[in-house]
Amino acid sequence: MNTPSLSRAFALLLWRDLLLAYRRRTEMINPLLFFVLVTTLFPLGIGADPALLRQVAPGIIWVAALLAAMLSLDSVFRSDFEDGSLEQFLISAQPLSILVLAKVVAHWLITGLPLLIVAPLLGLLLDLPAASISTLLVTLALGTPVLSMIGAIGVALTVGLHRGGVILSLLVLPLYIPVLIFAANAVESAGAGLPIVAHLSLLTALLVLSTSLSPLATAAALKISLS
Amino acid sequence: MLRFFHQLGSPKHFYRIAGRWIPWLAAACAALMLIGLYQGMVVAPPDYQQGDSYRIMFIHVPSAWMSLFIYIVMAVAGAIGLIWHMKLAEVIAISSAPIGASFTFLALVTGSIWGKPMWGAWWVWDARLTSELILLFLYLGVMALYSAVEDKRTAARATAILAIVGVVNIPIIHYSVEWWNTLHQGPTVTKFGAPSIDLRMLIPLLVMAVAFKLFYATVVLMRARVEVLQRERNAQWVRELVDIS
């Protein structure tokens, strides 16, 4: 049996995961609905004063995105763990970290990218000015892949556990804090007309760092969880 | 020398050697802590601004130092355990987690008690207090993961990964929080050049820091001994040990 090349293995796995997600479209919708629902809860809780909403909107949208990303994490490895494909990845000739990267990229395309489509709508609901909304989109595009990358480590550590969900949030949420700080701050600064290059550079740095390191940690964690 | 380290790696000898060290470490810790407390509470002059209330520093600052130090020890020991499959390093890493969490908690509590008269509030969202709180969450995550995994060897290796990921993230979290907000008084000991702290305050502080380190060493060895006994409960030497006593 000849093994496919590295890039081909990556593409095949990415395609497989996207196809699987397409076949189960309703599962894609749920994190999105959650994102919208959590955001609509805030005006009901703190009052609908537009000035107040505009002030807290970046934080609210980002916290909601954080929670939505965390809730959808469970599906990264769950079905592969249950039907045994994960063990096949482990013994395959390709490096596990590359396969993990393909899975995480697919997961982000399925759960992270739709957030970007809904976010402008939520921005309008919370009365964000146009400049802030475009910054919000940029920060979401840079930040949500980081969430998927870091989250994958947590999922890999808890994949074999029965009640992994609560522990997962305890493991992953503290590590999400830098993304939240830089992203929400960037949106806030954009609303105030301040430069945001520093925030965006730092977010990009986080993205590069997490993309290069987290697949290695995730692969190591998977090997331990499945041993 | 090499033989000594080799012996230290085997649980049986570790149990014996640690048992011999613990009383000495504990005695040194108690002596230093008494000296440090006396120097700090009685000898050191009151602060020109904060009066006597700054004296909580002699507990607060060493525990804050220890909270970070122990996390790094835990990650390094975890990495050694992962790379060389040294059981003892895993045991040390796991035994460190609750101690580190307690020091972090102590630093938070003393910090908020100190903050009440200084800032006028029990809690302010100050950068260093906040990153200490996040550090506590990281410790709790490590402990939760360890207790959730049934097989303790797997659990130890999983927590080692988590600790290493945490160590990579701690500087990022620290600086992001620092950048986000800061109220805390600047570091007064590590400044380059002359430290901006009176020598009569600095000496008790350093004595207390050493005492806290010795306390950690004592407690971690005690915890590690218990952990070794639990892990090796089916081994011949543990059975003999239990039979004798």
Side-chain angles (χ1 to χ4, degrees):
Chain A
M1 193 186 112
N2 50 352
T3 48
S5 74
L6 201 57
S7 50
R8 183 151 169 73
F10 181 88
L12 277 174
L13 190 56
L14 187 67
W15 181 245
R16 164 188 175 272
D17 270 22
L18 292 180
L19 202 62
L20 277 176
Y22 179 71
R23 298 265 156 82
R24 283 177 300 188
R25 275 167 296 232
T26 43
E27 278 181 31
M28 284 171 63
I29 308 288
N30 291 340
L32 265 187
L33 279 179
F34 177 84
F35 183 47
V36 177
L37 251 171
V38 169
T39 317
T40 38
L41 286 181
F42 277 93
L44 299 174
I46 59 175
D49 175 26
L52 176 68
L53 284 182
R54 206 176 307 133
Q55 201 187 350
V56 292
I60 290 175
I61 295 179
W62 256 99
V63 169
L66 227 66
L67 294 175
M70 198 199 69
L71 276 184
S72 66
L73 276 177
D74 194 49
S75 62
V76 189
F77 297 122
R78 175 65 60 197
S79 64
D80 285 344
F81 175 70
E82 278 165 358
D83 66 14
S85 331
L86 209 52
E87 272 142 357
Q88 298 302 315
F89 296 149
L90 240 71
I91 57 171
S92 90
Q94 311 291 348
L96 184 59
S97 53
I98 297 296
L99 301 180
V100 162
L101 185 64
K103 284 202 71 70
V104 177
V105 170
H107 179 259
W108 178 74
L109 288 174
I110 297 158
T111 60
L113 203 56
L115 296 186
L116 264 87
I117 301 164
V118 194
L121 209 66
L122 294 177
L124 285 179
L125 279 181
L126 297 178
D127 200 32
L128 271 182
S132 306
I133 290 185
S134 55
T135 314
L136 178 67
L137 281 182
V138 177
T139 56
L140 279 173
L142 289 172
T144 46
V146 182
L147 304 184
S148 295
M149 289 291 171
I150 298 174
I153 305 174
V155 186
L157 286 171
T158 54
V159 72
L161 304 179
H162 291 297
R163 284 186 300 275
V166 186
I167 294 173
L168 179 65
S169 59
L170 195 55
L171 302 189
V172 161
L173 282 181
L175 303 179
Y176 279 180
I177 287 168
V179 179
L180 174 68
I181 289 177
F182 293 132
N185 248 319
V187 182
E188 222 167 275
S189 307
L194 298 170
I196 50 163
V197 184
H199 303 72
L200 296 185
S201 318
L202 282 164
L203 273 178
T204 317
L206 286 179
L207 177 59
V208 172
L209 191 70
S210 63
T211 315
S212 40
L213 291 184
S214 109
L216 298 174
T218 311
L222 275 179
K223 277 178 192 156
I224 289 168
S225 284
L226 292 177
S227 63
Chain B
M1 192 68 193
L2 212 63
R3 188 159 158 266
F4 173 75
F5 276 110
H6 188 69
Q7 280 198 343
L8 207 58
S10 101
K12 183 183 171 187
H13 287 101
F14 168 78
Y15 185 82
R16 194 171 46 83
I17 294 168
R20 231 187 297 151
W21 280 7
I22 285 172
W24 294 103
L25 287 170
C29 165
L32 278 179
M33 207 169 272
L34 280 177
I35 295 170
L37 281 177
Y38 176 74
Q39 295 269 334
M41 297 300 149
V42 183
V43 179
D47 188 73
Y48 79 103
Q49 263 184 336
Q50 305 187 2
D52 277 330
S53 63
Y54 86 97
R55 291 184 198 275
I56 200 168
M57 170 183 89
F58 297 115
I59 306 289
H60 172 72
V61 175
S63 14
W65 283 343
M66 288 310 288
S67 65
L68 255 182
F69 174 77
I70 294 176
Y71 200 95
I72 293 167
V73 168
M74 192 170 76
V76 170
I80 293 174
L82 271 183
I83 296 167
W84 288 290
H85 293 275
M86 241 180 97
K87 281 188 204 165
L88 212 65
E90 289 171 7
V91 170
I92 294 288
I94 284 310
S95 318
S96 297
I99 312 171
S102 326
F103 273 122
T104 318
F105 186 69
L106 188 63
L108 278 173
V109 170
T110 51
S112 94
I113 294 174
W114 194 4
K116 182 63 182 162
M118 293 304 122
W119 295 325
W122 292 108
W123 182 264
V124 286
W125 287 96
D126 158 67
R128 279 202 271 170
L129 268 181
T130 311
S131 49
E132 197 75 3
L133 182 66
I134 297 166
L135 186 65
L136 181 63
F137 291 149
L138 289 176
Y139 271 120
L140 295 180
V142 166
M143 285 156 68
L145 184 64
Y146 184 70
S147 61
V149 182
E150 292 276 311
D151 177 47
K152 285 308 161 202
R153 290 237 35 204
T154 314
R157 299 198 306 146
T159 49
I161 296 246
L162 185 64
I164 294 166
V165 172
V167 142
V168 173
N169 268 284
I170 280 177
I172 301 176
I173 293 175
H174 179 79
Y175 284 105
S176 65
V177 172
E178 188 125 305
W179 196 53
W180 168 69
N181 194 4
T182 201
L183 259 180
H184 208 285
Q185 49 183 295
T188 39
V189 178
T190 51
K191 260 191 215 163
F192 290 110
S196 59
I197 178 173
D198 191 307
L199 207 61
R200 281 170 302 170
M201 295 180 190
L202 181 62
I203 288 171
L205 185 61
L206 295 180
V207 171
M208 284 304 280
V210 176
F212 271 45
K213 283 225 162 50
L214 286 171
F215 177 82
Y216 164 64
T218 314
V219 178
V220 84
L221 286 183
M222 287 162 88
R223 293 189 67 96
R225 279 183 99 204
V226 175
E227 184 79 23
V228 162
L229 279 189
Q230 269 174 355
R231 285 185 173 209
E232 306 274 317
R233 60 180 172 275
N234 293 322
Q236 187 66 32
W237 67 271
V238 177
R239 292 195 177 165
E240 282 168 12
L241 199 78
V242 175
D243 276 346
I244 293 164
S245 51

